Amino acid sequence: MAKKPLLCWLLLLAVLAEAGASDEDGAELDYSKLSGIIIPGFASTQLRAWSILDCPYSPLDFNPLDLVWLDTTKLLSAVNCWLKCMVLDPYNQTDHPDCKSRPDSGLSGITELDPGYITGPLSSVWKEWIKWCIEFGIEANAIIAVPYDWRLSPSKLEERDLYFHKLKITFETAYKLRGGPSLVFAHSLGNHVFRYFLEWLKLEIAPKHYIQWLDQHIRAYFAVGAPLLGAMETIEATLSGFTFGLPISEGTARMMFNSFGSSLWMMPFSKYCRTDNKYWKHFSGGSHVGPQTYHCDEQEFKTNLSGWPTKIINIEIPSTREIPEANLSSMECGLPTQLSFSAREISDGTFFKAIEDYDPDSKRLLYLLEKSYLGDPVLNPLTPWDRPPIKNVFCIYGTDSKTKVGYYYAPSGKPYPDNWIITDVVYEFEGSLISRSGNQVEGNPGAISGDETVPYLSLSWCKNWLGPKVNITKAPQSEHDGSDVQIKLNVKHPHEEDIVPNMTRSPRVKYITYYEDSESLPGKRTAVWELDKANHRNIVRSPVLMRELWLEMWHDIHPDANSKFVKKAKRGPLRDEDCYWDYGKARCAWPEYCEYRYVFGDVHLGQSCSFFTPGADMITFWQCFLLDDTLHMNTRITPSYNHDFWSLAIL
C-alpha cells in the first residue's frame, strides 16, 4: 500500500522537473498560469436589491443588498413586492419605479442562489464545480466568475452595465495576474453571452489584432449545454409561463419572464437562415453600406420545418380575420383556426404578428425582437453559430432524455396572462416523436434525443465545427478497466451532417461518446462530448464532466504527451466518492486505489470504502493517478539504473 503513493510522488517529481509544455506552434505552456472564467446560464446568478422598498402587510422589506433572486422566504411572504424587484419595463428594460436589482459579483453570486440549510443544496449551481477545483489544488485567484443580469438583452447588457467592456478587462487582468491565457467555461445562456462578446470584440479591437488577442487571452472554450439553435422551454415560458419550481402561478411567471429583454435570446431559430453582419466590412477594413439582410437557403422551404423534427408551435386562434394561406393547416367555418409555425417563423416575427390581435404580450415581444435582436448592430443572435476562432473548443452536453420539441396551444377562455393553455406537447425520445399522451407523431426525428431541456438538434449543432475526419470513442461514464471502450478512427464527416456511430451498448450502462478531430487546422482542436442522461440544469454538477475536464487539462500539461486528446482506455477512482463496495468479491472495488476504512456514522459498506491517501497527500495522489491514466496508452514504466526509483518513459 505504501509503494503506490511513493511511486506517485516520484513520478510527479519527474513530471514537475520539466519546465513546461509546448503547444503546437511552439510557445511554452505553463498551466500554473492559467485562469478559469465561468459564465453562468439563465437565472444562475444572484440578484440583489439596489434600493429600499417597504412591503405593506409583510414584516419583510427590501433593503439595499438584500437577496432578491433567489429569496424564497420573501417570495412567499410578499410576492408582489418581490415581483417589483424582478420585473423590467418590456420596452426599454428599465427597472420598476419602486425597486431595482443588480447582479451579485464574484463566485458567491453563482454558487448557491438561495443559501440555507434546506434551500442551499436545492439551489446549488456551480458549488460542486468550485469544490472540485479546491480539492484538486486550484489557486483561489485562478477561478473567476463573471455574473451578469440575465434579464437583459445583449445590447442592454453593454449599454447599462458595460458588461462586455468589463469582460474584456477581466480576461486582460487574469492574463496580467497569472501570466497566461484563460479557460472559458460557459453554461446554457452563458454560451450566447460569450458568442456575443466575441462579435462585440471585433468592433473593439483593430481587425489585424483580433485573433492575436484571442490567442493571447483564451486558451480553450468549454461550451456546456449550449442551446446553439435555441430551446423549446422559451416558447412555453413566453406563452403560458414556466415557474422553474417556484411557488408562483404560471400566469405570474409569464408576466415576469416576458418583461425580460432576454426572453427572446434562446428562441428556436432555423439553421438555414442567416443575417449579414452590418459590420463585416469593418472587420475586413471596409465601410458598411446598406441595411442588414436576412436570407435563407433553399432547404429552408423544402420541408418547412427549418431543420427541426416538427413544427414548433401549433396554436388555435379565432377565425375572425384573414390568415395567410401558407400558415393554414385546417379551417372550418365558425371554428378556431389552427396555425403552425416553424423556427424561422418564430425568429423572424411572423408568429408574433399572427397573434398580436389576440395576445397583448405579442406586440411588446415583437417590438423587442425587432429592436434588440433582428436590429442589433453587433449580432443577430437568432442565427446559426460558426466555430469560434479559439484554439481549443470543447462542446459538452447531455443526451437520451425525453425532450420537448413542439407545443399545441388553444385559448383557455381566461383573461391575460392565462389566456393560452397547452393542449399537447411533442417529445423526442429514442429516435421517435411522441405526444404527451404517448401517441406517435409524424415528423423528422433524430436518432438521439436532447438533455430534457434543449433538443438534440440544437445541442449537437457544434458537430458542424468538427473537421472532415473524426475519431469516435464510446466509453462508460463510471470507473472502468477499458474492456467496454469502443473506438472508430477517421470516420468521414460530411459538412452539416450529423454523425451517429453504430456502436453496441449495454442497456444498464451510461456512456460518454467523444467526437474528436482526426484532421484539424494547425493549432486548432475541436471535440464534442455527449453524456448519456445528463440533465441540462445539473450537468455542471456532474462528477463525470469534472473528471474528464481534469484529465484533459492534465493531458495538456504533460510535455511529452504525443496525442491531441486524452486516451479513454481506463478510468479509475479519483476521490472517496468514486470508491464503492464490490459485493461479488466482498471487498472494496478497485483495491489498488481504494481500501475499507470504517468511520463512525457510515450506514453501508460503500461509505467505508475510501481512497488510499488521506488528507493533503490525496491531492498529490490524484495528480499522479491522472497523469498515469491520461498517458495509459502511450506510457510505460521501466526501471532506471541511474536512480533509485522508477521513471517515466514516454513512447
Side-chain angles (χ1 to χ4, degrees):
M1 185 185 302
K3 292 181 180 179
K4 185 76 177 179
L6 176 60
L7 174 61
C8 285
W9 269 101
L10 296 173
L11 291 177
L12 184 63
L13 289 173
V15 174
L16 295 179
E18 300 288 343
S22 298
D23 57 17
E24 294 185 20
D25 53 12
E28 186 177 283
L29 177 64
D30 183 355
Y31 265 70
S32 67
K33 298 180 179 180
L34 289 181
S35 301
I37 294 182
I38 299 174
I39 308 178
F42 181 81
S44 296
T45 296
Q46 288 182 345
L47 300 178
R48 294 191 176 273
W50 204 248
S51 59
I52 299 174
L53 177 62
D54 294 328
C55 299
Y57 312 112
S58 172
L60 302 176
D61 298 326
F62 282 97
N63 295 299
L65 299 184
D66 281 357
L67 195 59
V68 176
W69 183 269
L70 180 62
D71 188 331
T72 52
T73 302
K74 289 185 177 179
L75 192 160
L76 288 169
S77 64
V79 63
N80 290 330
C81 262
W82 179 80
L83 281 172
K84 288 181 180 179
C85 295
M86 284 297 300
V87 299
L88 300 173
D89 184 284
Y91 287 97
N92 54 29
Q93 298 176 59
T94 56
D95 299 284
H96 191 280
D98 295 336
C99 185
K100 66 170 63 175
S101 299
R102 291 295 180 267
D104 203 353
S105 59
L107 292 174
S108 62
I110 67 171
T111 50
E112 288 180 342
L113 298 178
D114 189 7
Y117 182 76
I118 297 177
T119 57
L122 297 175
S123 65
S124 173
V125 184
W126 291 89
K127 189 174 184 178
E128 283 298 312
W129 186 290
I130 296 168
K131 181 181 176 182
W132 265 77
C133 294
I134 294 172
E135 288 184 10
F136 282 91
I138 303 298
E139 293 294 331
N141 63 1
I143 303 297
I144 304 169
V146 283
Y148 58 95
D149 194 334
W150 40 269
R151 302 172 299 168
L152 300 178
S153 66
S155 57
K156 204 68 177 181
L157 273 175
E158 177 60 21
E159 179 185 333
R160 195 195 75 179
D161 296 343
L162 291 178
Y163 178 79
F164 298 110
H165 269 95
K166 293 177 182 177
L167 184 54
K168 177 176 178 287
I169 293 172
T170 298
F171 280 107
E172 293 170 346
T173 302
Y175 180 81
K176 291 180 180 179
L177 179 65
R178 300 189 60 82
S182 298
L183 307 176
V184 177
F185 302 98
H187 177 238
S188 194
L189 179 62
N191 291 282
H192 288 291
V193 173
F194 184 62
R195 179 198 185 190
Y196 192 91
F197 168 73
L198 293 178
E199 294 297 319
W200 172 89
L201 195 64
K202 291 179 181 179
L203 308 181
E204 239 355 77
I205 296 178
K208 63 180 180 180
H209 298 309
Y210 175 69
I211 299 299
Q212 179 184 345
W213 190 96
L214 293 179
D215 290 344
Q216 183 179 28
H217 293 91
I218 304 176
R219 169 69 185 179
Y221 167 43
F222 294 88
V224 183
L228 301 175
L229 297 178
M232 292 299 143
E233 287 185 354
T234 311
I235 297 293
E236 184 175 344
T238 300
L239 285 183
S240 55
F242 194 88
T243 65
F244 295 99
L246 297 177
I248 57 177
S249 68
E250 290 183 344
T252 300
R254 182 192 180 194
M255 287 192 297
M256 181 177 68
F257 181 77
N258 286 350
S259 76
F260 299 161
S262 61
S263 61
L264 300 173
W265 207 343
M266 291 189 291
M267 280 286 182
F269 53 86
S270 172
K271 66 179 184 178
Y272 301 122
C273 300
R274 293 180 178 270
T275 301
D276 291 333
N277 195 321
K278 277 186 177 183
Y279 294 99
W280 69 272
K281 289 189 176 180
H282 165 91
F283 192 58
S284 60
S287 59
H288 163 65
V289 177
Q292 285 178 308
T293 57
Y294 187 78
H295 56 87
C296 301
D297 297 339
E298 292 183 2
Q299 290 176 292
E300 166 65 27
F301 306 101
K302 288 183 178 179
T303 63
N304 204 25
L305 295 179
S306 299
W308 289 79
T310 184
K311 290 281 191 176
I312 293 174
I313 299 179
N314 302 275
I315 190 168
E316 291 183 1
I317 63 172
S319 55
T320 57
R321 55 177 296 202
E322 293 185 5
I323 304 297
E325 289 188 7
N327 262 333
L328 273 176
S329 57
S330 66
M331 183 174 182
E332 296 183 28
C333 184
L335 295 178
T337 301
Q338 180 171 292
L339 306 181
S340 298
F341 297 90
S342 65
R344 172 182 58 82
E345 292 168 321
I346 295 170
S347 61
D348 69 6
T350 301
F351 166 67
F352 296 111
K353 290 176 182 176
I355 67 169
E356 64 181 345
D357 289 343
Y358 312 104
D359 193 286
D361 267 349
S362 61
K363 294 181 180 179
R364 296 194 291 266
L365 291 170
L366 187 59
Y367 173 85
L368 179 64
L369 175 67
E370 294 175 345
K371 179 182 179 182
S372 299
Y373 292 90
L374 302 181
D376 189 290
V378 175
L379 169 74
N380 176 7
L382 306 179
T383 51
W385 288 48
D386 294 321
R387 184 192 184 279
I390 296 170
K391 287 183 177 180
N392 305 290
V393 176
F394 294 80
C395 185
I396 306 162
Y397 51 86
T399 60
D400 285 335
S401 294
K402 192 175 179 181
T403 307
K404 299 169 185 174
V405 293
Y407 292 95
Y408 284 81
Y409 277 95
S412 66
K414 298 179 181 179
Y416 171 85
D418 300 310
N419 52 313
W420 301 111
I421 186 173
I422 297 176
T423 58
D424 207 350
V425 180
V426 180
Y427 298 90
E428 60 177 6
F429 188 56
E430 296 181 346
S432 62
L433 299 177
I434 56 176
S435 68
R436 188 163 55 182
S437 57
N439 298 322
Q440 293 287 331
V441 178
E442 292 185 0
N444 185 30
I448 306 175
S449 55
D451 65 0
E452 198 173 323
T453 298
V454 183
Y456 181 74
L457 173 75
S458 181
L459 293 165
S460 64
W461 177 254
C462 54
K463 283 186 178 179
N464 293 296
W465 303 346
L466 295 166
K469 290 185 179 180
V470 178
N471 294 335
I472 305 174
T473 306
K474 182 184 286 288
Q477 292 183 20
S478 60
E479 295 71 32
H480 62 86
D481 60 5
S483 59
D484 193 15
V485 174
Q486 303 169 68
I487 301 174
K488 287 189 176 182
L489 301 177
N490 297 316
V491 177
K492 291 185 178 180
H493 174 220
H495 182 59
E496 292 195 2
E497 287 189 17
D498 195 8
I499 315 172
V500 180
N502 185 19
M503 295 179 173
T504 60
R505 58 183 299 159
S506 172
R508 296 186 178 182
V509 177
K510 293 181 181 179
Y511 291 91
I512 177 171
T513 307
Y514 308 83
Y515 302 83
E516 299 165 337
D517 268 345
S518 173
E519 296 178 0
S520 57
L521 298 173
K524 304 285 186 183
R525 286 191 307 165
T526 308
V528 176
W529 300 351
E530 294 182 347
L531 282 69
D532 289 354
K533 303 298 182 181
N535 178 273
H536 178 80
R537 295 184 177 90
N538 296 328
I539 190 170
V540 294
R541 310 177 199 176
S542 168
V544 175
L545 171 59
M546 293 303 302
R547 180 192 69 196
E548 296 305 313
L549 291 175
W550 186 252
L551 287 169
E552 195 64 51
M553 292 174 62
W554 269 91
H555 169 271
D556 289 351
I557 199 175
H558 197 278
D560 298 314
N562 56 12
S563 61
K564 289 196 301 181
F565 299 99
V566 174
K567 299 294 183 181
K568 316 300 187 299
K570 179 183 178 182
R571 291 292 185 268
L574 305 182
R575 319 161 75 200
D576 277 345
E577 289 86 344
D578 299 334
C579 295
Y580 58 92
W581 185 260
D582 187 338
Y583 286 92
K585 297 181 180 179
R587 68 182 185 189
C588 291
W590 298 92
E592 64 270 37
Y593 301 112
C594 302
E595 66 176 353
Y596 181 82
R597 190 165 60 241
Y598 175 79
V599 177
F600 180 76
D602 291 348
V603 295
H604 59 80
L605 292 169
Q607 285 183 310
S608 302
C609 291
S610 304
F611 216 68
F612 270 156
T613 313
D617 291 342
M618 189 178 291
I619 293 177
T620 304
F621 192 85
W622 281 333
Q623 291 172 333
C624 178
F625 173 78
L626 288 171
L627 173 64
D628 181 44
D629 182 68
T630 301
L631 302 176
H632 179 80
M633 293 295 290
N634 53 349
T635 303
R636 68 164 178 249
I637 299 177
T638 57
S640 171
Y641 300 103
N642 297 325
H643 302 281
D644 296 329
F645 55 86
W646 299 78
S647 61
L648 278 177
I650 305 299
L651 290 177

